[in-house]
Amino acid sequence: MDSTKVKQLDRQSYDVVIIGAGPSGAVAGAMLVNQGLSVLILEKQFFPRFSIGESLLPQCMRFLQEAGLESVLHQYAKQCGFQFKNGAAFHKKGINSAFNFTEKFTEGPGTTYQVKRDVFDKLLADEVQKKGVEIRYGHQVNQVEQLQPSVCLTVEDQKQESYQVEGRFLLDGSGFGRVLPKLLNLEQASDFPVRHSFFTHFADKIDCPEFDRDKILITVNPNFDDVWYWLIPFSDGTASIGVVGLPERFEEYARLSNDEILQQFIRQDANLNRLLSRAEPLQPTRAIKGYSADVTSLHGENFALLGNAGEFLDPVFSSGVTIAMKSASLAVPLVIKQLVGQKVDWQKEYAEPLKFGVNTFRSFVEAWYDGSFQDIVYHDMHDEAVSRMISSILAGYAWDKNNPFVEKSQRRIAVLAEVCRD
Ligand code: FAD
């Protein structure tokens, strides 16, 4: 680094520096500043900005509450078009099924919202700023100069001038930017295959009385069980719709535009086609190709990875934001412990507890794609107790060891799928 090009700003030293002002960075920032620490968030974009990940799970509300961010969400929900959400509905070849999150095994909130992330992320970030966190928008972290005795980062501001900033601890909440995994060579291939996703927002104009706007609708493609769609309604008459599948499922449409590809797939499902018959797209269809990611380690000397900067599985159960906020909630007390001079075993106290719940979601995602969880979902389940246990996981309570579908998820799903098939 050419030090002559490094501009000095007034205040360059913080207790904690966070990369990214998405849900993980915002929740961590709020929790830290609430404990009296000085916190700087470096965010390369300007908010509001588009982001995917719009269906929250009720477990998120716990973390927002912990961070002192829940009331602002309720306060502005209506104004921001956030849709009250109380469950997940499923459709496959004419068969409907639904889980109501208020009827679940684990104690805790049973409802939440579906949110446009540009508005949601800005709402949280503004609130975090009001609490005293400094957020620098248009500031991109480009380099880690050192990690000990304190962390030193090289940052480029919106005028493309570089400067250095110091923190006693660094949290990477850079999401798909994956700043530390790339800079520190922590990237590791995910167990999940590459999948493509095409999505947009519609003025949905759904007038079907049976359609429940309070639930995300997950639809399985009638031709391929491993292709599925989300339909996430908002409260202002708009909705997010997307399709997910292996690259080969989209091959024959390669010459079409993203808009046409999404339309083609919507047309393939009679129910979605009917629901969206009057829908009008509000923006060009976006595509993400290959989103699953993993790392060799979630922590190191004076740093930890939050949310998507660590591991990202798959969007099918809308677990991303919940895992992002859970990671912040687990990391913050440990950062504080370390900064007051106590020893922290980041593997035992952070990585393992976080991965415990991530692995629960992993079992469910794997079972979705191998078909066994679909056999459960589309079976007319009469066992209320089992239904409540599954509802808990779908509501995000993947860390509740009392739930038998958490502790031995793989085996339980396999056995239940057998029973459903019989
Ligand atoms: P992000 O929300 O990605 O925030 C990271 C921030 O870091 C960004 O603002 C970015 O600009 C900033 N940044 C990046 N690089 C730098 C840098 N060098 N310097 C400074 N700042 C930087 N999750 C759900 O919960 N529900 C869903 O319905 C859902 N649907 C999804 C659908 C798809 C197709 C995909 C791919 C994901 C979906 N997710 C969903 C997952 C969700 O998008 C993520 O899990 C969630 O946004 C992660 O939050 P985060 O805070 O870790 O990162």
Side-chain angles (χ1 to χ4, degrees):
M1 181 81 223
D2 179 355
S3 59
T4 56
K5 285 193 189 150
V6 175
K7 192 177 86 176
Q8 292 302 312
L9 292 184
D10 293 346
R11 174 118 194 246
Q12 291 298 299
S13 189
Y14 294 80
D15 289 323
V16 183
V17 176
I18 301 176
I19 311 173
S24 63
V27 166
M31 288 176 174
L32 287 161
V33 84
N34 289 346
Q35 297 299 316
L37 276 80
S38 63
V39 183
L40 170 68
I41 299 185
L42 297 161
E43 168 55 59
K44 74 172 180 186
Q45 301 188 69
F46 290 91
F47 282 17
R49 54 89 179 94
F50 181 87
S51 182
I52 195 65
E54 298 151 321
S55 192
L56 305 183
L57 301 181
Q59 164 88 87
C60 283
M61 306 309 277
R62 270 269 164 87
F63 307 129
L64 289 166
Q65 204 174 21
E66 268 178 51
L69 295 170
E70 193 199 14
S71 54
V72 76
L73 187 58
H74 294 312
Q75 192 185 339
Y76 287 98
K78 196 165 174 217
Q79 190 178 321
C80 293
F82 299 159
Q83 170 68 45
F84 171 82
K85 175 183 173 186
N86 65 10
F90 294 86
H91 183 93
K92 182 178 179 178
K93 291 188 210 165
I95 303 172
N96 291 303
S97 152
F99 287 87
N100 185 337
F101 294 162
T102 60
E103 292 161 10
K104 59 176 168 40
F105 177 87
T106 309
E107 288 287 304
T111 66
T112 184
Y113 295 102
Q114 318 211 104
V115 298
K116 292 183 188 173
R117 283 287 302 278
D118 53 351
V119 185
F120 175 75
D121 287 16
K122 178 157 168 42
L123 184 72
L124 293 194
D126 286 353
E127 195 62 17
V128 165
Q129 239 170 349
K130 279 187 213 152
K131 287 177 182 290
V133 173
E134 183 180 341
I135 304 184
R136 293 185 192 162
Y137 291 102
H139 287 230
Q140 174 167 323
V141 174
N142 281 339
Q143 201 54 254
V144 179
E145 300 298 334
Q146 66 176 46
L147 287 167
Q148 348 173 13
S150 59
V151 177
C152 177
L153 300 176
T154 298
V155 185
E156 189 178 294
D157 65 19
Q158 64 267 49
K159 294 181 198 138
Q160 266 118 46
E161 288 183 49
S162 290
Y163 66 93
Q164 288 183 345
V165 71
E166 251 184 43
R168 294 168 66 204
F169 200 90
L170 173 63
L171 288 172
D172 184 2
S174 64
F176 292 116
R178 304 184 62 75
V179 174
L180 292 190
K182 285 178 186 157
L183 291 176
L184 304 178
N185 278 328
L186 303 171
E187 290 281 15
Q188 171 172 283
S190 165
D191 301 341
F192 290 105
V194 169
R195 286 194 168 86
H196 290 185
S197 179
F198 296 85
F199 48 87
T200 191
H201 284 179
F202 281 118
D204 61 73
K205 302 189 176 171
I206 298 175
D207 54 7
C208 168
E210 298 95 65
F211 181 68
D212 183 355
R213 289 194 86 84
D214 295 349
K215 292 183 176 63
I216 183 174
L217 172 64
I218 304 287
T219 301
V220 177
N221 180 276
N223 307 318
F224 300 106
D225 285 354
D226 57 5
V227 175
W228 61 273
Y229 314 76
W230 74 76
L231 174 56
I232 299 176
F234 303 115
S235 68
D236 59 359
T238 67
S240 167
I241 175 130
V243 60
V244 174
L246 294 167
E248 54 266 36
R249 303 291 184 228
F250 300 101
E251 251 165 30
E252 64 176 293
Y253 308 103
R255 283 184 293 113
L256 300 185
S257 69
N258 289 347
D259 288 334
E260 289 165 332
I261 293 173
L262 182 56
Q263 284 297 345
Q264 282 281 347
F265 274 84
I266 291 171
R267 258 178 247 136
Q268 288 172 16
D269 181 76
N271 186 53
L272 270 187
N273 200 26
R274 184 176 55 92
L275 285 175
L276 297 171
S277 57
R278 301 193 308 132
E280 283 170 18
L282 295 171
Q283 47 187 243
T285 300
R286 293 177 159 89
I288 294 187
K289 299 180 178 179
Y291 41 71
S292 301
D294 200 1
V295 283
T296 51
S297 175
L298 284 170
H299 55 88
E301 200 68 54
N302 295 327
F303 76 85
L305 309 182
L306 303 177
N308 271 28
E311 182 172 11
F312 180 67
L313 303 173
D314 188 90
V316 66
F317 299 122
S318 309
S319 58
V321 172
T322 300
I323 293 172
M325 290 184 183
K326 172 74 181 182
S327 68
S329 156
L330 277 172
V332 163
L334 302 176
V335 172
I336 293 167
K337 191 171 159 188
Q338 181 157 321
L339 294 187
V340 297
Q342 291 176 32
K343 178 110 191 81
V344 175
D345 184 337
W346 280 89
Q347 186 58 25
K348 279 216 153 47
E349 295 176 68
Y350 177 67
E352 287 171 17
L354 180 62
K355 273 175 177 285
F356 178 81
V358 173
N359 286 337
T360 308
F361 283 122
R362 184 192 312 281
S363 304
F364 277 76
V365 172
E366 283 170 355
W368 174 261
Y369 287 108
D370 74 21
S372 48
F373 191 63
Q374 292 189 24
D375 290 339
I376 295 171
V377 163
Y378 296 107
H379 179 265
D380 197 4
M381 206 187 303
H382 297 296
D383 190 324
E384 204 190 307
V386 169
S387 179
R388 292 174 90 89
M389 289 169 193
I390 292 174
S391 194
S392 258
I393 313 280
L394 298 180
Y397 295 90
W399 288 266
D400 177 8
K401 291 187 178 171
N402 294 322
N403 183 346
F405 276 84
V406 167
E407 196 68 279
K408 295 191 176 104
S409 45
Q410 234 171 354
R411 204 168 59 83
R412 293 263 178 191
I413 295 169
V415 170
L416 183 58
E418 269 309 306
V419 172
C420 290
R421 275 181 217 125
D422 284 349

